[in-house]
Amino acid sequence: MISCRYFDESFDTENCHNYILSIQCSLNGFYFLVYDTISMKYVAYYEETINCATPFQLKYEAELIIQKEEALKKQYRKVNIEFKDTVEALYPNSIVDLTDLPDVYELMTEKKNGYTVLRNEIIRGEISLAFSIPEIIIDFFKKEFPDCNFYSGGSYFLDFVFKEAGNNKVMALARSKNALKASLTDGNKILFFNNFYVKNDSDCLYYTLYIAKQLELEKNTEILLMGDMDAHGDFVSSLKNYFGKAHFARINKSFSLSASFMQKPDHYYLPLTQMSLCE
């Protein structure tokens, strides 16, 4: 079922060579976002709920979506792909060689059969994030978009947090359906990062307060909120009551959202908008 389908009046299928296409997919959803590098504006957003039991089914659903969406048949300046998974692992570059990455990833977490381990560098030359994607999904998108790049959600989430937080100590939270990402950064240091499976606001609040307790966070710690969060829901209301500096993230003023996106607040599209800006 299509939840959102927004196209700015300026969107031009003949101008896709100036656009960056970002696709995010999982077993329960398919999203894409288009960024115009000339106007520095996000000009298209698509969100569809799907229900797949396996990556093979996801490939089939993705094929159907690409067949019906003319915008996905064009050649873009750049195409970024994320397969949403809660399994990501940070590691220092100095102790892990790329040839050993699959084995190290398996030690740190659970590598599934039929998945390929990839990495994104988080702090250049220092810290990387390992993640895995089903081989069938990699092959499918490489066929559709031969020069595409693969990203983990944690990589552009942390990229946004670093840019937004500056030298401050900040706890950032991003929710996307049944996943909650959480980080604690202090300047360019990552003090904590993890993903949690959540079903509702109560789960989100439980994990957030558990992290705060374990890390001994003070009530004046800045809390940066983004993703699929209801400004008036129990989770956000409780956080704002507990932490004096809990607030929603905003898209950088250097970039703009199409007016057609305004049915939802800025923070809803974060951190997905950051994937378009990844190098």
Side-chain angles (χ1 to χ4, degrees):
M1 181 178 69
I2 299 175
S3 306
C4 304
R5 188 182 183 277
Y6 306 145
F7 281 83
D8 188 75
E9 59 183 12
S10 67
F11 184 89
D12 182 0
T13 54
E14 301 305 314
N15 194 36
C16 289
H17 59 280
N18 288 318
Y19 296 165
I20 295 174
L21 171 66
S22 297
I23 296 176
Q24 185 186 75
C25 63
S26 70
L27 297 182
N28 57 21
F30 187 99
Y31 312 73
F32 71 80
L33 182 73
V34 178
Y35 173 66
D36 183 348
T37 60
I38 303 301
S39 65
M40 298 176 71
K41 183 179 184 179
Y42 295 94
V43 294
Y45 177 74
Y46 179 98
E47 178 180 325
E48 181 168 345
T49 300
I50 55 180
N51 186 17
C52 303
T54 65
F56 181 82
Q57 287 181 298
L58 171 59
K59 172 183 174 289
Y60 173 75
E61 293 292 341
E63 283 176 332
L64 293 179
I65 293 170
I66 290 175
Q67 285 172 11
K68 70 183 179 183
E69 279 297 328
E70 196 63 31
L72 295 177
K73 300 174 185 176
K74 301 298 180 179
Q75 228 176 353
Y76 285 82
R77 176 174 175 175
K78 187 178 180 183
V79 179
N80 297 331
I81 311 286
E82 178 203 356
F83 172 75
K84 287 173 62 179
D85 196 354
T86 56
V87 183
E88 299 169 303
L90 284 169
Y91 68 91
N93 293 357
S94 59
I95 65 170
V96 180
D97 187 89
L98 282 179
T99 57
D100 299 327
L101 182 57
D103 294 331
V104 174
Y105 180 80
E106 197 164 355
L107 287 174
M108 293 189 290
T109 183
E110 180 184 353
K111 180 181 178 293
K112 302 171 186 175
N113 290 331
Y115 280 59
T116 294
V117 178
L118 302 174
R119 71 147 192 168
N120 295 144
E121 201 165 40
I122 305 301
I123 300 176
R124 186 160 295 176
E126 296 183 27
I127 302 292
S128 291
L129 188 65
F131 60 102
S132 62
I133 300 180
E135 292 163 6
I136 191 173
I137 298 301
I138 292 176
D139 292 344
F140 168 71
F141 281 116
K142 279 292 186 183
K143 180 181 177 183
E144 296 292 334
F145 309 103
D147 297 321
C148 66
N149 306 285
F150 293 95
Y151 288 93
S152 69
S155 64
Y156 60 83
F157 165 73
L158 288 168
D159 186 58
F160 177 81
V161 172
F162 282 136
K163 288 180 170 62
E164 187 73 10
N167 293 321
N168 300 322
K169 187 175 184 178
V170 173
M171 182 181 189
L173 301 166
R175 186 178 181 186
S176 177
K177 292 188 182 296
N178 295 124
L180 179 71
K181 287 189 188 300
S183 70
L184 180 67
T185 57
D186 189 354
N188 65 349
K189 296 178 181 177
I190 303 172
L191 306 179
F192 177 86
F193 172 76
N194 209 344
N195 293 291
F196 301 93
Y197 176 79
V198 294
K199 294 181 180 179
N200 48 44
D201 278 9
S202 295
D203 288 348
C204 292
L205 186 61
Y206 169 80
Y207 285 119
T208 302
L209 295 181
Y210 179 79
I211 295 166
K213 181 179 179 180
Q214 295 299 309
L215 299 178
E216 299 180 344
L217 298 185
E218 297 178 357
K219 290 189 175 182
N220 65 349
T221 301
E222 183 179 356
I223 309 294
L224 194 62
L225 306 172
M226 63 192 93
D228 190 6
M229 295 184 184
D230 182 355
H232 305 291
D234 291 341
F235 175 50
V236 173
S237 298
S238 297
L239 279 186
K240 287 186 174 181
N241 286 333
Y242 189 85
F243 294 101
K245 295 182 180 179
H247 63 96
F248 283 111
R250 299 294 302 272
I251 291 172
N252 189 295
K253 292 181 180 179
S254 300
F255 313 103
S256 62
L257 286 175
S258 166
S260 63
F261 290 22
M262 294 309 164
Q263 295 181 42
K264 295 181 183 294
D266 258 25
H267 69 262
Y268 182 85
Y269 302 102
L270 289 165
L272 177 60
T273 52
Q274 194 67 25
M275 184 160 52
S276 303
L277 309 177
C278 287
E279 297 296 333

